[in-house]
Amino acid sequence: MTVAEFLEQDDSLCSFSGSYNTIFTRLSDPTANVAGITEAVELDPTIAAKTLRMANSSLYGFPEPIDTLHRAVSIIGLQQMRQIVLSTIVIEHFRGLPVIGVDMESFWRHSIAVGVLSRSIARFRREANIERLYLYGIMHDLGRLLLFLRLGTRTEELINIREREQCLLFEAERELLGFDHAAIGSALLEEWGMAPAQVEATRYHHAPEDARAFPVETAIVHVADSIANSLRLGSSGERFVPPVSPETFDRIGLEMPVYEDIIGHARKHLDQMQAILLD
């Protein structure tokens, strides 16, 4: 089986419907203005409410409450708001799926942790648009959800390989299928028309040395994933901590002591973000 065949098995899981599809389409329109984005988000009350709560969270720290979506988009910015809303839609779309072998609450806690940690690393690097790294982090393991859904009861075969070989789960995936969840996830994001940087960061988040066009973004997600696993901030099924090479830290360009501050900054906001998105 190829990655393409894997995605084709159930198109409904890989595409949005109803209001989600309308919102996603409008958000993907590069010509959309503040009014257009606001109207799109308001199509779904749950997405609208969570987006407004996000805008008022400690992550952004605005001194006065933001009481309308229009004001939230105006203050936070179009690109940043797109990424916040997209991450919320994806979680709502996938979170209720019955996935064998996956604790969905724990899965999303891990994904949100990687998103917040990626954003925190980008913040300390003084990146121009740190919300894009938040989005990359939250969506980095979507391929694993699809993989477990497709495998069904065969998930036990995967776990048996991991236990027998005492290897990382993505290595067991490659042994069983010939490809891993990162390949599935990046193919899905490409199908959705997501940014090339996000596609590459997802594709190589377990092999950052192979990222050619966007090595820094990929390294950030890789390190954030490793930190989240080491701190046991939720789980996407990985028992062991993916190692990080010195070269990957070099790509990010931050001194090692700074990572304590990065973790501290992320921890300050993580509980609130998880409460908003998983409520």
Side-chain angles (χ1 to χ4, degrees), residues 202-244:
T202 299
R203 178 69 185 88
Y204 298 114
H205 73 269
H206 285 303
E209 66 280 0
D210 292 336
R212 295 291 178 260
F214 304 97
V216 173
E217 290 89 338
T218 306
I220 288 173
V221 174
H222 173 72
V223 169
D225 181 46
S226 185
I227 292 172
N229 276 295
S230 68
L231 298 176
R232 298 303 180 205
L233 300 174
S235 172
S236 65
E238 191 62 79
R239 278 187 59 189
F240 304 113
V241 178
V244 179

Side-chain angles (χ1 to χ4, degrees), residues 118-137:
S118 296
R119 183 186 187 277
S120 187
I121 294 170
R123 177 179 178 270
F124 277 81
R125 274 182 47 85
R126 301 186 184 279
E127 294 278 343
N129 180 1
I130 61 177
E131 301 312 327
R132 68 193 178 99
L133 273 306
Y134 165 76
L135 180 68
Y136 299 177

Side-chain angles (χ1 to χ4, degrees), residues 1 26 32 48 50 56 76 112 138 151 163 180 183 197 204 206 220 223 226 235 270 279:
M1 181 184 294
R26 292 193 190 177
K50 291 191 174 190
N56 281 289
I76 294 175
I112 293 167
I138 276 192
L151 286 180
E163 296 304 307
D180 62 14
Y204 298 114
H206 285 303
I220 288 173
V223 169
S226 185
S235 172
L270 191 52
D279 185 15

Side-chain angles (χ1 to χ4, degrees), residues 157-170:
E157 292 180 50
L158 183 65
I159 302 304
N160 287 340
I161 292 172
R162 183 189 67 184
E163 296 304 307
R164 184 181 70 244
E165 304 292 339
Q166 287 294 290
C167 62
L168 291 160
L169 190 55
F170 74 88

Side-chain angles (χ1 to χ4, degrees), residues 97-104 145 148-149 151-156:
L97 298 176
V99 186
I100 294 174
V102 177
D103 179 335
M104 291 297 280
L145 274 188
F148 281 150
L149 276 165
L151 286 180
T153 55
R154 287 191 67 203
T155 299
E156 188 175 346

